[in-house]
Amino acid sequence: MQNNIRNNIRKIHATVLAKIKPTPEEREKLAELARKIEGYIVEEGVPCEMVGSAARKTWISGEHDLDMFIMLPTTLSREELEVEGLRIAKSVADRANSFEMRYAEHPYIHARFGEYRVDLVPCYRVNSVRELKSAVDRTPFHNQYVLSRIRGLEDSVLLLKQFMKRSGVYGSELRVRGFSGFLCELLVLRYGSFLGVLEAASDWQEGLLIKPGASTDASRRAAGVGAGTGTGTDADVDAEIAPGNPWEPLCVIDPTDPNRNVAAALSLDQFYTFVDAARGFLAEPSIGYFFAEPKPRMTEHEILAAIAERGTDLLAVVFGIPDMVEDIVYPQLYKMEQSVLTLLKEHGFAVHRSSVGVQVQSAGGEGGAEGGDNVVLLIELMSGSLPPLMKHDGPPVYMRKHAERFKMKFEDEETFSGVYIENGRYVVDVYRKYASAKHLLESKLLSCALGKQMYECASLGYTVLEGEEVVYAADFEFLSRFFR
Amino acid sequence: MQNNIRNNIRKIHATVLAKIKPTPEEREKLAELARKIEGYIVEEGVPCEMVGSAARKTWISGEHDLDMFIMLPTTLSREELEVEGLRIAKSVADRANSFEMRYAEHPYIHARFGEYRVDLVPCYRVNSVRELKSAVDRTPFHNQYVLSRIRGLEDSVLLLKQFMKRSGVYGSELRVRGFSGFLCELLVLRYGSFLGVLEAASDWQEGLLIKPGASTDASRRAAGVGAGTGTGTDADVDAEIAPGNPWEPLCVIDPTDPNRNVAAALSLDQFYTFVDAARGFLAEPSIGYFFAEPKPRMTEHEILAAIAERGTDLLAVVFGIPDMVEDIVYPQLYKMEQSVLTLLKEHGFAVHRSSVGVQVQSAGGEGGAEGGDNVVLLIELMSGSLPPLMKHDGPPVYMRKHAERFKMKFEDEETFSGVYIENGRYVVDVYRKYASAKHLLESKLLSCALGKQMYECASLGYTVLEGEEVVYAADFEFLSRFFR
């Protein structure tokens, strides 16, 4: 890398860090709250551990999240753990401004202390990873793994997280399907620095396997840790093509469990969006890869003009859902999207693009349980209508039994043609059942694989909008993103 | 097979043979002409051989074709053969009502003696197949091969030929791409009878290899030769899946040359059309499998109604060609058809069906060289127009070099979208160059693989007709077949 580029990158890093690195005051405030909460828990005679980015000093300035794990003895039964854990968590949360119960593998408390959001999570205190009783118990081990290795690399983690946020690939929640904070830390450990990660990622190909190794201090130091330069290579860390799980573009072995992929939530397109951004930044470094001006929303007039100019046919499937956890809604939405596209394709419609999202039903509240939200599945078709005639493919002629049944079936049906032979198969030109994509979805949406909750919601009623009608159903933010 | 079906089939065979088997008088008349022509040739001091169906008594009543080979010594050079051969052929043809010169591997004379069409073909008289000097020289060996084996099976050959004619699969000319007369004879030899061929064909699958074997008299007799019953199986004939030439559905090894496929001209769909007809006849034997009432041509009104009801978009490419040999025109037409369909598909048009043919340009002559003929390529599209927007696929993201070039290319182009990532590839929504299939063909027909002569003809000018316009270009016979 040339010196002037290197200097440019250094300047960018400094500018970015000045904005995202917590100040000593911010750190002290957080540490103070953490100590206070630790005190409350210890008062109950139970040890606790602060985990997550706050514990590792890899949180981005302005984020005020604190994860506190309440470590209970393994002598408790699962039920006792829940009861006792929640009792302690509540006794802490009683001092908070507000709190609510949330559910992961077991219940925990989400509390607000002033501007801070604090998760109080009961778990078992086990001596080694082999003794884990639930997935939650693993978190303290992740914490220890990173804590003991990350010193001096915190800035790289911060830069990587901010870079990923800007690219829209940060977060392992099922809406985003991107990179988790823990994954960012493992990548920095693996490649020695922010730039090391970007340089490696520029050559990534789906199917990549990254095995964790104890990244030695020596190798990290030699790579110029902390200055954000150089590419660290760990002698005891291997990368090769992963054999299994072809649907997972990246496999990063969990250092606490060789059977667990830390990057399991990452989608193929998010994987490559990061690869593409990494290449872009290295080719032409700029602050724009960390912070972007928000694009103005398109106006109704602009959206209508875009629809007209594209000449395609737009459809929107819309139905209401109650307030639900994103991680439950989004996998079902993505499943529904694929299933609906398959239905359309099976009926001869050429799909150009699609997008699915959840938007607030009424402007008067932030997705409250009362008004609920709307699911909007937007689909752009080359044409929403097809001719009445359709080719129906039958069996290859050589399959005699199938052939007989096929010919029998169409003997008495009204068709455009007799059964004829094309490319070695029987075919017959029949009347298309659904010449309109709108009618198809109106009739068959519920036969698609929608996921349990989405099926229940759509069963209560859904609307299929066409063409300009979609402007009055989907919000302009969503449509603006679709048309750009 | 049940007895009543067997009896029914016997009756059908008898009825068919009564119509197609030459009478003794017809045979005698042909034999008389053959003797006369043999006499003329022998007068010139050269031996000759009558070949083809006339020689083998496997011609269908009413057909008056006679193939006479003039056997010249191998001491002649190729040029001398042509000069001397044509001299003798002409001396014979001088007694005919009319004659013309035609060209295969070398020139020959086509003469009319009353109602008879006689081909006078010079060839080398070689002692064995190994000494062949041209493909024409092989014919007398084919003739000997069949002559020495076919006695008693002539009726089966006649039935098979008539059955194939009715199904539209008889003839190895390149317009038909079906079964030649020689191939019919080999099949009857292989399977012992007409019904034997049909029963075997009912289970045929593309990729079939049939090796010729000297079908012993014993095995043929045991199979009930001549009565058209039973399935002859020759112990020394093998059928298995052929290894090579995946584009040839059937490989029947030439008994005079193990490297030659007698069924090389047969297309996949003609192969299966025969298979399908064979099954149909065996399931429900009827005279309709040998003779069909000609279907009435559709009227203009009916054709226009069919176009409207189908709702598809019709296109016709039309241009004039001079009077040409079918075997030269049709391979080029089929090639053009495939190439044009590929062009349309590449530009996003969904093809339903197509057909190509040659029709007389003016009603006032039988395809005379003056008026010439018209090529008509008819194409039925799901839609002849597409939206302005089109997805343009780029390289997979991991191919870094290609990715850079792709992104550079679209940086300054006007597009509907930026380059984005979908399913691991770069894509970009661009403006479609040809939103109308008619315009596409008007601009790009000549860039298709048309074949030498078709290219030359189309270069002089061609028309692309759309929708109802095709009614005024394609003849109603052709359109009637297309819509049924």
Side-chain angles (χ1 to χ4, degrees), chain A residues 156-440:
Chain A
S156 273
V157 174
L158 286 172
L159 289 168
L160 184 58
K161 284 183 176 180
Q162 186 62 34
F163 183 88
M164 286 185 166
K165 277 192 180 183
R166 162 68 182 91
S167 307
V169 301
Y170 183 68
S172 60
E173 52 270 39
L174 298 174
R175 177 177 59 78
V176 178
R177 296 185 286 193
F179 296 78
S180 69
F182 178 49
L183 181 52
C184 285
E185 292 164 331
L186 291 182
L187 290 174
V188 168
L189 287 176
R190 168 65 185 84
Y191 296 108
S193 69
F194 168 65
L195 277 190
V197 175
L198 261 49
E199 275 163 5
S202 297
D203 287 320
W204 277 355
Q205 182 175 354
E206 66 207 81
L208 183 70
L209 175 67
I210 298 180
K211 289 181 188 167
S215 181
T216 63
D217 279 327
S219 74
R220 281 195 285 126
R221 274 192 208 113
V225 165
T229 56
T231 53
T233 50
D234 298 342
D236 51 347
V237 175
D238 292 306
E240 58 190 46
I241 299 299
N245 289 12
W247 60 88
E248 287 174 358
L250 173 65
C251 182
V252 178
I253 303 287
D254 188 330
T256 71
D257 182 353
N259 293 315
R260 204 177 157 269
N261 176 13
V262 179
L266 182 64
S267 77
L268 182 71
D269 286 351
Q270 292 290 59
F271 173 78
Y272 277 126
T273 298
F274 174 61
V275 169
D276 183 61
R279 289 180 193 158
F281 177 76
L282 293 176
E284 274 184 85
S286 100
I287 192 91
Y289 282 91
F290 294 91
F291 306 106
E293 297 291 312
K295 284 186 187 167
R297 264 191 353 197
M298 290 167 85
T299 64
E300 180 175 330
H301 177 76
E302 285 168 337
I303 291 171
L304 289 175
I307 292 176
E309 201 194 354
R310 294 162 85 89
T312 49
D313 285 342
L314 268 188
L315 285 181
V317 179
V318 183
F319 57 87
I321 56 168
D323 192 22
M324 285 166 77
V325 179
E326 268 198 353
D327 271 8
I328 291 181
V329 175
Y330 272 88
Q332 295 190 24
L333 292 189
Y334 293 137
K335 186 181 175 182
M336 170 175 91
E337 183 181 16
Q338 289 315 312
S339 177
V340 168
L341 298 190
T342 301
L343 177 76
L344 286 163
K345 287 173 197 165
E346 280 172 358
H347 283 81
F349 295 96
V351 175
H352 174 62
R353 221 146 66 81
S354 67
S355 183
V356 69
V358 176
Q359 56 193 39
V360 182
Q361 210 169 52
S362 58
E366 216 189 46
E370 286 299 313
D373 295 332
N374 264 343
V375 160
V376 178
L377 169 57
L378 200 62
I379 301 161
E380 188 174 16
L381 298 171
M382 281 307 173
S383 174
S385 58
L386 291 172
L389 175 146
M390 185 186 95
K391 187 177 286 185
H392 181 80
D393 283 328
V397 178
Y398 74 85
M399 297 176 85
R400 195 171 176 177
K401 279 274 176 305
H402 292 85
E404 271 165 31
R405 252 175 281 147
F406 184 78
K407 291 177 82 175
M408 290 275 278
K409 191 182 160 205
F410 288 98
E411 216 155 60
D412 302 320
E413 256 183 54
E414 216 196 323
T415 55
F416 278 101
S417 74
V419 170
Y420 58 98
I421 292 170
E422 196 175 70
N423 299 324
R425 303 186 81 97
Y426 286 110
V427 281
V428 54
D429 297 342
V430 297
Y431 284 84
R432 190 184 296 279
K433 194 160 177 199
Y434 297 101
S436 144
K438 182 181 168 162
H439 294 160
L440 172 62

Side-chain angles (χ1 to χ4, degrees), chain B residues 143-160:
Chain B
N143 195 47
Q144 290 305 323
Y145 182 87
V146 177
L147 258 185
S148 66
R149 289 165 174 80
I150 206 71
R151 272 256 314 264
L153 290 170
E154 292 91 344
D155 285 357
S156 274
V157 174
L158 286 173
L159 289 168
L160 184 58

